[in-house]
Amino acid sequence: EAGVAQSPRYKIIEKRQSVAFWCNPISGHATLYWYQQILGQGPKLLIQFQNNGVVDDSQLPKDRFSAERLKGVDSTLKIQPAKLEDSAVYLCASSLFSSTVSTDTQYFGPGTRLTVL
Amino acid sequence: AQSVTQPDIHITVSEGASLELRCNYSYGATPYLFWYVQSPGQGLQLLLKYFSGDTLVQGIKGFEAEFKRSQSSFNLRKPSVHWSDAAEYFCAQMRWNSGGSNYKLTFGKGTLLTVNP
């Protein structure tokens, strides 16, 4: 079974530029998550999709971050304009959503390491 | 507020020695707890999880964790560490997002494990 795919793996940009990340979840997984992991911290949820609908974007800085999952499969996360503090690893995860939490294991991709200069 | 605490930022052990990584959670009569491992340049891999039942949970790669409600702890253990275990380890707790419609995973800040030959 193929895992969660992400691209690019690394990205270096200057502040005020824009950047986009792509994620393809495990086939059949309805729920997709984007996390931000700042150096020395654990991952923090930015946004969660159930199929192509947003169920939680409470920690997404909406003035500069946006995300979409148009066909309920792959997803893109965009930052525009980027700030220095956006330097982090952006992780995508997916899960088979169920009303019972016991099946809601999240599987993570390798991440995209973003450096903002 | 819900939080997951990993008191040790960095631990160094010798190969073959036993290992215990500490984790404390702050919420829930029935917490849903996870341990993930992150190798350099890799995404997070699930080691084990606890939802209910036997308080000693077996995971992959020879790891186990013990849930202790009285101490609000979920410590990760391994009897004999291998050099390939060097990585960062994250404890996480999942709970239902009140007012929302999703389960939310909150991570600790991680413990970096170094293994000496």
Side-chain angles (χ1 to χ4, degrees):
Chain A
E1 177 183 82
V4 176
Q6 291 188 248
S7 67
R9 293 295 309 276
Y10 305 92
K11 191 73 176 179
I12 300 174
I13 61 173
E14 298 197 348
K15 60 183 179 183
R16 291 187 290 274
Q17 287 187 323
S18 62
V19 64
F21 313 128
W22 175 83
C23 172
N24 191 29
I26 293 173
S27 177
H29 280 199
T31 307
L32 185 147
Y33 313 79
W34 283 102
Y35 287 85
Q36 180 191 57
Q37 185 179 16
I38 293 172
L39 187 65
Q41 305 283 327
K44 180 185 79 172
L45 179 69
L46 291 176
I47 188 167
Q48 177 182 345
F49 292 95
Q50 175 72 16
N51 296 311
N52 61 348
V54 175
V55 296
D56 187 348
D57 63 357
S58 57
Q59 297 193 83
L60 186 75
K62 298 180 186 64
D63 58 334
R64 297 183 300 107
F65 286 64
S66 64
E68 60 184 12
R69 193 184 184 202
L70 291 175
K71 296 182 179 179
V73 180
D74 57 351
S75 175
T76 56
L77 175 69
K78 298 179 181 177
I79 307 175
Q80 182 179 10
K83 293 185 175 181
L84 296 177
E85 59 261 36
D86 298 331
S87 293
V89 175
Y90 291 85
L91 294 165
C92 180
S94 70
S95 67
L96 280 172
F97 183 75
S98 170
S99 60
T100 58
V101 71
S102 61
T103 61
D104 209 32
T105 297
Q106 296 182 24
Y107 298 89
F108 286 80
T112 296
R113 182 177 296 278
L114 174 66
T115 302
V116 182
L117 303 175
Chain B
Q2 175 195 16
S3 68
V4 176
T5 304
Q6 294 181 248
D8 305 304
I9 296 174
H10 187 192
I11 284 181
T12 299
V13 300
S14 298
E15 191 168 16
S18 63
L19 171 70
E20 183 169 27
L21 302 181
R22 296 183 291 165
C23 173
N24 293 97
Y25 65 93
S26 64
Y27 172 85
T30 308
Y32 304 113
L33 299 165
F34 303 77
W35 274 100
Y36 282 86
V37 61
Q38 186 176 37
S39 299
Q42 303 295 315
L44 282 79
Q45 181 183 22
L46 180 68
L47 288 175
L48 48 78
K49 58 187 178 183
Y50 173 77
F51 292 137
S52 64
D54 193 345
T55 55
L56 186 62
V57 181
Q58 300 299 319
I60 62 170
K61 303 185 179 185
F63 285 93
E64 66 179 26
E66 186 171 13
F67 171 65
K68 293 185 177 180
R69 188 185 303 278
S70 61
Q71 299 177 18
S72 298
S73 70
F74 187 56
N75 294 349
L76 183 71
R77 300 195 296 243
K78 187 169 185 178
S80 178
V81 171
H82 188 262
W83 63 266
S84 60
D85 293 324
E88 189 150 26
Y89 291 80
F90 292 93
C91 183
Q93 181 178 13
M94 183 179 284
R95 60 169 290 192
W96 186 253
N97 185 20
S98 58
S101 59
N102 60 306
Y103 287 100
K104 199 162 188 173
L105 200 56
T106 299
F107 288 85
K109 292 187 176 182
T111 298
L112 180 64
L113 174 66
T114 298
V115 181
N116 287 335

